[in-house]
Amino acid sequence: MSGYIRLELIRSLRDGGYIVFGVIMPVVMYLLFTNLGIAPGDKHDAALFTMVSMAAYGALGSAFNNGSGIAEDRAAGWLRQLRLTPLTPAQVVAGKVVTGVLGVVPSIAAVLLTGVLVNHVTLTAAQWAQIVALLWVGTVPFSLLGLGNGYRLSGQTAAMANLATMLGLSIVGGLWLPTANFPGWLRAIAEWTPSNSYAALSWHAAAGEPPGLRQTAVLVGWLIVFGLYAMYGYRRAGKRA
């Protein structure tokens, strides 16, 4: 397992899409939103809220990018080779999820450091620890969804599907604009999206509030759904390999 995870992590870090969508884009958008007056509220509140939002956005980009190369792996026969190893299907999927979870660390760190160094965001040590932990662990459902798309779709289609899904969840989930600015019907939809619940947990932590039970339940529910989807996709991909 450790060797497999190490191999997959090296492959992910060498991917140019990971650097662009997972690290560079979130930092650039964070600087634009906060320093051009696009983010709502006063300077401090805008910098804090948008920092969490863009860190979540970058983490989503890295998590989905982790699954985009699966289709190419399937076409190259990599999945067929994995089926000849002692790794079980659950271990293969779990290994890719661990790779995705580890891969989001630079994305989260880049935005949070920008918040501290550029916009002088200040929080207690406990708040920083909560935000980092929630943003980190909360990416598991999105890694599973990206993997499911990678296992089920062809190369170019999988990459486009993951990109479209990531952007759609980011926008509808309120990572780009607060859901308070949404129409009532769209706000109601946003509250049930995994991206909104994922970011809301860290928004609460940044405000010194405990994690919301509702957001936690929604995110766990999507975790189960996406986990089943990823397992189904891997089994189907293995049969076609």
Side-chain angles (χ1 to χ4, degrees):
M1 260 306 261
S2 61
Y4 172 59
I5 292 171
R6 184 169 59 253
L7 173 63
E8 291 295 340
L9 187 59
I10 293 172
R11 296 176 66 209
S12 297
L13 293 177
R14 288 176 176 173
D15 188 351
Y18 166 81
I19 301 298
V20 173
F21 292 105
V23 180
I24 297 177
M25 281 291 292
V27 171
V28 171
M29 291 179 65
Y30 175 58
L31 293 174
L32 288 175
F33 284 174
T34 54
N35 292 285
L36 294 182
I38 300 175
D42 60 34
K43 179 70 174 180
H44 177 270
D45 291 344
L48 180 57
F49 179 88
T50 311
M51 180 188 71
V52 172
S53 299
M54 289 299 102
Y57 170 63
L60 257 64
S62 297
F64 276 105
N65 186 72
N66 181 51
S68 294
I70 293 293
E72 284 85 354
D73 289 345
R74 189 173 70 243
W78 177 235
L79 295 186
R80 184 167 57 250
Q81 294 298 318
L82 286 176
R83 291 177 66 85
L84 299 177
T85 70
L87 294 173
T88 66
Q91 287 177 316
V92 172
V93 174
K96 286 295 290 183
V97 171
V98 171
T99 301
V101 170
L102 293 176
V104 304
V105 173
S107 306
I108 296 170
V111 177
L112 297 186
L113 284 174
T114 302
V116 173
L117 299 176
V118 178
N119 289 325
H120 311 293
V121 173
T122 57
L123 293 168
T124 66
Q127 286 175 305
W128 282 118
Q130 274 189 296
I131 290 172
V132 170
L134 291 170
L135 287 173
W136 185 38
V137 177
T139 55
V140 174
F142 307 102
S143 290
L144 289 168
L145 177 55
L147 291 178
N149 288 338
Y151 289 132
R152 294 283 293 126
L153 305 173
S154 61
Q156 189 72 18
T157 305
M160 293 302 296
N162 277 339
L163 178 60
T165 304
M166 184 267 291
L167 292 175
L169 287 175
S170 298
I171 295 171
V172 178
L175 303 187
W176 287 16
L177 292 172
T179 56
N181 298 334
F182 288 1
W185 63 270
L186 185 56
R187 192 182 311 121
I189 295 175
E191 291 176 352
W192 291 99
T193 61
S195 51
N196 181 261
S197 294
Y198 166 58
L201 295 175
S202 294
W203 287 330
H204 284 304
E209 302 169 354
L213 293 179
R214 181 182 177 281
Q215 287 89 357
T216 302
V218 170
L219 195 59
V220 170
W222 284 112
L223 168 66
I224 296 171
V225 172
F226 295 154
L228 293 174
Y229 175 57
M231 286 296 300
Y232 170 75
Y234 176 76
R235 292 181 183 278
R236 287 290 301 272
K239 291 178 181 179
R240 296 197 302 268

